[in-house]
């Protein structure tokens, strides 16, 4: 599969004349299309709702688009709750999934009427002392061991810091019922960025069976089951994207086979996707600024790991298109690098690309989730602007680029002037 940018070279250069590179840009039409495809795939469930993972792309303009498409907001901190509230999310449109949670964060979530997802049994006491136990509460499950699909190990929940053991779930439900909870949710996240249509259905079967057991053991009313995130995207051209319609059908089949016979056909299904919703609909546009010929061939660009840390942190692959040379032969091998004083500041290593000349615009694909949001200021680098390519073709500035004044704003040192 050939990966195609949602920007042409002409459009990118037009934008760059107004907003200097590097910048992150998002495709409104693509975001809406994905949100509608997800909703369609789970339309068989009347209570279905997607709670977009705010941490993936915490920008109010993006959140407003998703709210218009019927999504809720999944928040993991006090400031993310504040952002969701500012956009207009309220009540059960907000899911608060946190860990090692401060009492004040629980208090804000409760004040907003958000659905609170408890990561640990001991947090029941923190929640009660902070704001009391709400009538509806969710608990996060960690089954331990290795999570596998067929013979392939997808991840190792036993090493994850998230969630309760199976025995703790029963204890938590019983204790929460004693403290006034009347309706319950169940949540789990067992693998990240999976490229198999089997992940959600496999996870669903695990959670559906546990939900039936919990209902029988405790008598609790389980109102919703949150499949969390984990549906991945095809970062590499050779990878096959997930089929969300098929995923929805297979989860439906599990629902009919497990929950309906147990008298639990009223359970709402929730999802909590970030990467799937936004990843392919964002790009980092950067300009080739330097070339170096030593033991390897290097192309230096004006972006760095501060703009996109995933390749440096995880060795993650992000496809690169040289705009205007989409169909040119891939007859050069480059390391594409930033200017940080760190040797891992590389967007690509030994990557086959067309000849790159200074001034060329490089389009780094699939940065719409966990791209700008993971930015930082090492070496005094300033985070870039975020732009929105609107459905009508216009471009909107949705976060300005940082300035030196922003970088120095938190310093309070008498007598210093930064110019």
């Amino acid at each position: 599969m050939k990966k195609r940018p949602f920007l042409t070279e002409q459009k990118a250069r037009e934008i760059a004349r107004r907003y200097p590179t590097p910048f992150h840009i998002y495709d409104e039409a693509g975001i809406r299309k994905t949100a509608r495809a997800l909703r369609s795939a789970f339309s068989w469930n009347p209570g279905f709702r997607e709670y977009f993972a705010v941490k993936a792309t915490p920008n109010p303009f993006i959140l407003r688009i998703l709210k218009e498409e019927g999504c809720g907001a999944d928040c993991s901190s006090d400031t993310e709750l504040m952002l969701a509230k500012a956009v207009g999310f309220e009540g059960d449109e907000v899911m608060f999934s946190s860990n090692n949670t401060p009492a004040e964060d629980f208090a804000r979530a409760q004040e907003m009427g958000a659905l609170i997802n408890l990561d640990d049994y001991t947090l029941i006491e923190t929640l009660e002392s902070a704001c009391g136990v709400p009538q509806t509460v969710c608990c996060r499950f960690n089954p331990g061991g290795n999570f596998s699909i067929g013979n392939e190990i997808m991840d190792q929940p036993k090493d994850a810091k998230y969630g309760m053991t199976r025995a703790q779930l029963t204890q938590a439900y019983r204790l929460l019922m004693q403290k006034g909870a009347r309706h319950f949710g169940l949540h789990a996240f067992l693998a990240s960025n999976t490229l198999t249509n089997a992940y959600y259905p496999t996870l669903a079967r695990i959670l559906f069976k546990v939900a039936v057991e919990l209902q029988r053991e405790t008598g609790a009313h389980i109102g919703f089951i949150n499949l969390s995130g984990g549906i991945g995207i095809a970062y590499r051209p050779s990878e096959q994207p997930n089929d969300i319609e098929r995923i929805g059908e297979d989860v439906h089949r599990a629902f009919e086979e497990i929950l309906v016979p147990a008298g639990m056909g009223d359970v709402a299904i929730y999802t909590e996707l970030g990467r799937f919703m936004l990843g392919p609909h964002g790009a980092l546009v950067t300009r080739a600024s330097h070339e170096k010929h030593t033991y390897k061939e290097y192309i230096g660009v004006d972006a760095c790991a501060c703009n996109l840390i995933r390749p440096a942190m995880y060795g993650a692959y992000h496809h690169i298109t040289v705009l205007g040379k989409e169909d040119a032969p891939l007859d050069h091998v480059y390391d594409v690098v930033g200017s940080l004083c760190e040797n891992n500041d590389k967007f690509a290593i030994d990557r086959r690309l067309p000849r790159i000349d200074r001034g060329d615009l490089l389009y780094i694909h699939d940065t719409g989730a966990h791209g700008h949001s993971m930015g930082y200021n090492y070496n005094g680098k300033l985070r870039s602007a975020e732009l929105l390519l609107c459905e009508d073709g216009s471009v909107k500035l949705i976060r300005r680029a940082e300035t030196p004044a922003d970088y120095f704003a938190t310093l309070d040192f008498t007598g210093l002037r930064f110019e």
Side-chain angles (χ1 to χ4, degrees):
M1 181 187 74
K2 187 150 187 161
K3 294 180 81 73
R4 289 286 184 180
F6 56 76
L7 285 179
T8 63
E9 180 195 18
Q10 180 181 355
K11 185 69 173 179
R13 290 196 179 279
E14 174 190 317
I15 296 168
R17 283 193 288 271
R18 184 175 181 187
Y19 304 108
T21 57
F23 54 77
H24 282 270
I25 186 165
Y26 308 98
D27 177 24
E28 180 183 1
I31 295 168
R32 291 188 185 276
K33 182 178 178 181
T34 294
R36 292 168 190 176
L38 175 66
R39 188 173 61 199
S40 173
F42 285 88
S43 60
W44 52 267
N45 184 263
F48 173 76
R49 178 177 282 159
E50 153 65 8
Y51 287 88
F52 174 69
V54 173
K55 58 182 173 287
T57 319
N59 187 294
F61 291 88
I62 300 297
L63 296 180
R64 182 175 296 159
I65 290 170
L66 292 168
K67 189 175 192 304
E68 289 170 0
E69 295 297 335
C71 299
D74 167 63
C75 300
S76 59
S77 69
D78 184 51
T79 46
E80 288 184 358
L81 287 167
M82 293 168 66
L83 179 57
K85 183 177 181 180
V87 173
F89 291 98
E90 57 186 9
D92 64 4
E93 293 179 329
V94 179
M95 173 76 70
F96 181 59
S97 295
S98 177
N99 66 92
N100 195 22
T101 310
E104 54 268 26
D105 288 18
F106 279 138
R108 184 181 296 276
Q110 178 78 307
E111 179 186 342
M112 289 175 60
L115 297 172
I116 293 175
N117 182 27
L118 294 173
D119 179 69
D120 183 57
Y121 180 80
T122 62
L123 287 175
I124 297 173
E125 180 180 350
T126 306
L127 174 65
E128 184 178 35
S129 62
C131 54
V133 172
Q135 287 201 342
T136 301
V137 68
C138 184
C139 292
R140 189 171 189 172
F141 175 46
N142 183 331
N146 296 323
F147 174 68
S148 60
I149 297 177
N151 294 322
E152 182 182 0
I153 294 177
M154 306 297 293
D155 216 326
Q156 298 177 317
K158 62 182 172 57
D159 295 328
K161 69 174 182 175
Y162 307 112
M164 307 182 198
T165 68
R166 176 63 186 82
Q168 288 173 336
L169 276 181
T170 300
Q171 294 173 338
Y173 271 41
R174 286 175 173 160
L175 182 58
L176 287 163
M177 290 174 72
Q178 291 174 16
K179 295 180 180 296
R182 294 293 175 264
H183 308 284
F184 290 83
L186 184 62
H187 175 287
F189 176 79
L190 302 188
S192 179
N193 193 34
T194 62
L195 272 180
T196 168
N197 294 326
Y199 170 61
Y200 250 18
T202 302
L203 172 62
R205 287 184 178 276
I206 292 171
L207 290 181
F208 293 169
K209 290 175 182 176
V210 170
V212 171
E213 292 170 0
L214 285 168
Q215 194 276 334
R216 289 173 179 167
E217 290 170 3
T218 67
H221 172 252
I222 297 176
F224 64 88
I225 293 174
N226 190 330
L227 301 177
S228 188
I231 296 180
I233 62 174
Y235 284 102
R236 297 175 182 270
S238 59
E239 294 173 334
Q240 186 67 30
N242 281 310
D243 181 345
I244 195 63
E245 198 65 37
R246 178 180 166 187
I247 290 170
E249 291 172 0
D250 289 348
V251 172
H252 188 190
R253 186 175 298 109
F255 187 96
E256 293 290 332
E257 292 175 2
I258 299 170
L259 291 180
V260 171
M264 299 174 67
D266 62 337
V267 170
I269 300 299
Y270 297 159
T271 57
E272 197 175 276
L273 299 166
R275 192 190 318 265
F276 178 80
M277 298 294 289
L278 256 293
H281 309 308
L284 174 61
V285 178
T286 181
R287 190 182 301 272
S289 56
H290 185 74
E291 57 185 88
K292 183 175 181 178
H293 316 283
T294 54
Y295 305 105
K296 304 182 77 171
E297 293 294 303
Y298 294 95
I299 293 295
V301 296
D302 58 7
C304 65
C306 293
N307 304 111
L308 178 65
I309 196 175
R310 296 187 73 255
M313 179 179 285
Y314 305 121
Y317 180 94
H318 281 265
H319 197 63
I320 296 175
T321 294
V322 184
L323 293 175
K325 300 179 180 179
E326 290 86 349
D327 299 313
L330 308 180
D331 53 5
H332 287 64
V333 177
Y334 297 113
D335 281 15
V336 180
V337 303
S339 59
L340 289 187
C341 299
E342 290 291 338
N343 197 43
N344 66 353
D345 182 22
K346 299 177 180 180
F347 295 111
I349 299 173
D350 296 330
R351 185 75 60 86
R352 287 197 167 277
L353 292 163
R355 173 185 169 85
I356 298 176
D357 300 298
R358 295 187 189 188
D360 280 348
L361 294 180
L362 277 61
Y363 177 106
I364 303 178
H365 292 252
D366 302 317
T367 71
H370 311 290
H372 189 282
S373 65
M374 295 178 72
Y376 59 110
N377 290 118
Y378 181 61
N379 275 176
K381 297 294 184 179
L382 305 175
R383 282 174 285 192
S384 68
E386 288 183 294
L387 310 176
L388 181 67
L389 177 63
C390 301
E391 286 186 299
D392 63 5
S394 63
V395 174
K396 180 185 296 185
L397 179 67
I398 60 173
R399 189 192 302 269
R400 66 168 174 79
E402 288 183 336
T403 67
D406 297 316
Y407 180 77
F408 295 124
T410 55
L411 295 174
D412 184 7
F413 195 95
T414 304
L416 275 186
R417 292 180 62 190
F418 302 103
E419 298 178 349

